[in-house]
Amino acid sequence: EDKVVQSPLSLVVHEGDTVTLNCSYEVTNFRSLLWYKQEKKAPTFLFMLTSSGIEKKSGRLSSILDKKELFSILNITATQTGDSAIYLCAFNDYKLSFGAGTTVTVRA
Amino acid sequence: NAGVTQTPKFQVLKTGQSMTLQCAQDMNHEYMSWYRQDPGMGLRLIHYSVGAGITDQGEVPNGYNVSRSTTEDFPLRLLSAAPSQTSVYFCASSKDDRDSPLHFGNGTRLTVT
């Protein structure tokens, strides 16, 4: 059965810290892996990864995929209180399946 | 830009009642889907559609029906609500079912008593 596991489930950091979120997956027909950020309402798209070893960056956020070891990480550097959210990882095998998410709390 | 619009935002039902959650998108997206989100369980796929007239079941379809008569609309029907269906429901769409990111609506918080 295809599945996505995210770790940790939650963490609390202080502003300026660096955060690393993990996503491991077991899928039959992997097409892509996506990261979303969810604050109070709808998840918003961060990254889509299809190739191993190629880092995607957007400001202080970056992500990389390892298709051999079947995992991805999302890094957030110099965290700010606005980074507090649930971060969701999902894989695409013609329909998107999500992990349970990691709740990040950034304290001032 | 409206994007994906869900109505209502909140709903309280009694066990056994039926209702329809509405979802509309104005981006001409072919792919639409419904998810429910429960604490500690992430987003679970209920039903999805790859185009008008085509629907399929996701991970947790029992107790829900969908139809896709137009590209824009993808309503979710609860035939006989149960307390286990208390959840936050998200509708999402994308350009296609392959490599396009999903765009989510703002969700409907449903409570079944």
Side-chain angles (χ1 to χ4, degrees):
Chain A
E1 181 179 315
D2 295 343
K3 63 179 181 180
V4 182
V5 178
Q6 292 188 245
S7 63
L9 290 180
S10 64
L11 72 163
V12 179
V13 299
H14 290 92
E15 277 191 317
D17 289 349
T18 294
V19 165
T20 298
L21 308 181
N22 302 292
C23 174
S24 64
Y25 62 92
E26 295 178 20
V27 302
T28 306
N29 298 303
F30 178 86
R31 289 192 59 85
S32 57
L33 188 139
L34 294 88
W35 285 96
Y36 285 82
K37 176 183 181 182
Q38 184 178 23
E39 296 174 87
K40 295 194 182 300
K41 292 185 177 179
T44 54
F45 171 73
L46 293 174
F47 299 109
M48 181 167 69
L49 304 158
T50 56
S51 302
S52 258
I54 299 177
E55 184 181 50
K56 292 217 171 177
K57 296 193 72 168
S58 177
R60 297 176 292 100
L61 276 67
S62 63
S63 184
I64 197 162
L65 175 68
D66 186 326
K67 289 171 75 171
K68 181 179 178 184
E69 300 298 329
L70 306 182
F71 77 90
S72 174
I73 60 172
L74 175 69
N75 281 319
I76 310 172
T77 59
T79 52
Q80 302 171 356
T81 54
D83 296 324
S84 295
I86 300 172
Y87 291 84
L88 297 162
C89 165
F91 69 82
N92 184 2
D93 64 345
Y94 300 105
K95 50 186 185 294
L96 211 55
S97 298
F98 286 82
T102 295
T103 301
V104 175
T105 303
V106 182
R107 300 209 190 283
Chain B
N1 294 333
V4 180
T5 303
Q6 288 184 239
T7 56
K9 293 182 181 178
F10 301 95
Q11 183 71 50
V12 179
L13 291 178
K14 294 187 186 229
T15 297
Q17 287 184 316
S18 62
M19 80 158 295
T20 300
L21 307 185
Q22 301 291 344
C23 175
Q25 52 90 9
D26 62 357
M27 298 173 282
N28 201 31
H29 284 171
E30 289 295 323
Y31 182 85
M32 296 187 74
S33 53
W34 277 100
Y35 288 86
R36 61 178 288 173
Q37 187 173 32
D38 302 293
M41 302 189 75
L43 289 158
R44 292 184 291 168
L45 183 63
I46 305 171
H47 286 283
Y48 65 99
S49 169
V50 299
I54 306 169
T55 63
D56 207 346
Q57 295 181 349
E59 182 185 354
V60 288
N62 293 339
Y64 308 95
N65 278 355
V66 292
S67 60
R68 185 93 179 272
S69 57
T70 67
T71 299
E72 295 77 21
D73 299 300
F74 191 44
L76 178 72
R77 297 183 186 84
L78 282 71
L79 303 176
S80 178
S84 61
Q85 293 179 304
T86 294
S87 188
V88 179
Y89 292 85
F90 287 99
C91 178
S93 72
S94 67
K95 185 177 178 183
D96 54 44
D97 63 341
R98 294 182 177 274
D99 297 322
S100 304
L102 284 174
H103 298 261
F104 284 85
N106 283 330
T108 295
R109 184 174 293 276
L110 175 68
T111 302
V112 182
T113 60

